[in-house]
Amino acid sequence: MAVEKILVIDDEPFIRKTFEEVLRGKRYGVSSASSIAEAERLMKREQFDVVFVDVRLPDGEGMSILERVSKGSTPPLAIMMSGFGTIESAVECMRAGAFDYLTKPFSISQIEVLVKKAESYRQMLQVNEYLSAELAGAKDLVGASEEINRLRDMLRKVAPTEATVLIQGENGTGKELVALSLYHSSTRSHLPYIRVNCAALSENLMESEFFGHEKGAFTGAMERREGRFELANGGTLLLDEISEISPRLQAKLLRVLQEKEFERVGGVKTIQVDVRVLATTNRDLRKAVEKGDFREDLYYRLNVFPVSVPPLRERTGDIRVLAEYFLARFAKQYNRSDLHLSPECHAALDAHRWPGNVRELQNAVERAVIMSEPGAPLISSALGLPGIQTLAVPVSLKVNEETESASSINGHGSGPLGDSRVSLAALEKEHILRVLSACADNRTRAADALQISIRTLRNKLHEYRLAKDE
Ligand SMILES: Nc1ncnc2c1ncn2[C@@H]1O[C@H](COP(=O)(O)OP(=O)(O)OP(=O)(O)O)[C@@H](O)[C@H]1O
Ligand SMILES: [Mg+2]
């Protein structure tokens, strides 16, 4: 609960008693003090969420509490109480940081309303804190490849400027993360960061999402609403998937980027904003311009500083690092500190093409963590990558075919596997034994990974043993 403990500081016993009765009935913890000195003592001992304080107390001004109160990391909200003749001092207290004030005499419902208000406010602060922590959480680009290092270098240079950055890259490569990390290293990092997904809404809704609307601007516009550009004022706005906006909106967007002003939908007042714009796209905007789908002038406005995030298959050096990073993250999340990626898993990860890029890798690792059994290493089949379950058979066959074609070209038959005439049975045996060892000799899991029944596996192993015995 956002408000649990309330302190009432007033020298009139009747007031203290009223608060106690009203608030205890609502299950708040209530303490009361009749002087500043007594309040100080209580506040040393306990943490209060809301403090009702009379502006005049026997041993001093209620306002002195404000200073004391504003020190902690989550200071209580102070609500000043004043008699008719002292409203001015209550106003002064508001200036000094009080949350609100009550004029005596007041009704019980006024107390209740104020406590509710304090509660919503504190809850909002908590949510805000939580969201900021989340934003701050995963802002680092993980990766060790030359490509990602080059990207980090570029970001470091452009982040502290005011330049508009156009982030291009395939799905799931980390464009949003790049935008977030730009924001965090910018000079606007303590100001709002607002994101708008340009692909999410219809043209009309999108326009009001961007620029807001006035009450009655269209059916359903019951109230005035500020758009994302206004919300981001002073801070940073991420236009996610910018290629998706309609020609009409492109024109409007061009104006904001050029003139830094716009009108709300249905409004006449021109609103000025100061916003740093970041944009992402997974379509090639240059091509979209050539095809006539995207305005050229807008393209140049956005493409001040282009950044491209390479697909994962072009920076394979990041696969392992990212896999380990996601494993650590999900192992923690799912309480599975025992997990590690076997060489077999790494081989499977390295072999995959990652059409869904980092997001696909992240999902694969999460899936594997969920699928894995306690005490056993992660097995590649748990990653759920297409073609992994029967990894070596088709791969080996492919090697075999390649070897054969190589041999027909250069005339001799030795390839990566040593011999182009390796039989399917030998390949199968090699693969089965490898998977079994990756599964720490757990037959159930190995059978699962191989997508064969445990009985078939047992029979195969039996055969191999017989062969060895012979
Ligand atoms: N280098 C990285 N280090 C750590 N996490 C990353 C990295 N790149 C991407 N991710 C994670 O992968 C997921 C996908 O990244 P993000 O949403 O930024 O991609 P995107 O390019 O915006 O994708 P889409 O085109 O589908 O919108 C996110 O959870 C993100 O945190
Ligand atoms: Mg995205």
Side-chain angles (χ1 to χ4, degrees), residues 172 174-176 195 240-241 280 359:
K175 297 183 294 296
E176 260 167 88
R195 170 180 171 260
D240 211 5
E241 321 245 355
T280 76
R359 182 178 296 108

Side-chain angles (χ1 to χ4, degrees), residues 78 100 123 130 146 167 256 299 324 369 375:
D100 212 331
Q123 187 176 10
Y130 166 81
E146 216 173 278
I167 306 159
V256 201
Y299 170 71
E324 294 290 356
V369 169

Side-chain angles (χ1 to χ4, degrees), residues 231-273:
L231 292 178
N233 195 8
T236 306
L237 180 67
L238 171 64
L239 302 172
D240 211 5
E241 321 245 355
I242 190 69
S243 59
E244 302 310 306
I245 62 171
S246 68
R248 196 168 65 85
L249 266 184
Q250 289 178 27
K252 295 208 157 197
L253 190 57
L254 181 67
R255 173 167 169 232
V256 201
L257 296 183
Q258 269 168 352
E259 321 288 338
K260 302 192 180 307
E261 60 179 40
F262 61 90
E263 286 90 37
R264 295 195 192 112
V265 176
V268 287
K269 194 174 83 182
T270 299
I271 295 163
Q272 313 253 330
V273 283

Side-chain angles (χ1 to χ4, degrees), residues 22-44:
V22 172
L23 297 173
R24 278 197 190 130
K26 305 239 171 250
R27 291 170 211 259
Y28 294 107
V30 189
S31 306
S32 57
S34 57
S35 66
I36 293 178
E38 197 186 348
E40 298 264 354
R41 267 199 305 279
L42 287 174
M43 288 197 289
K44 252 186 217 128

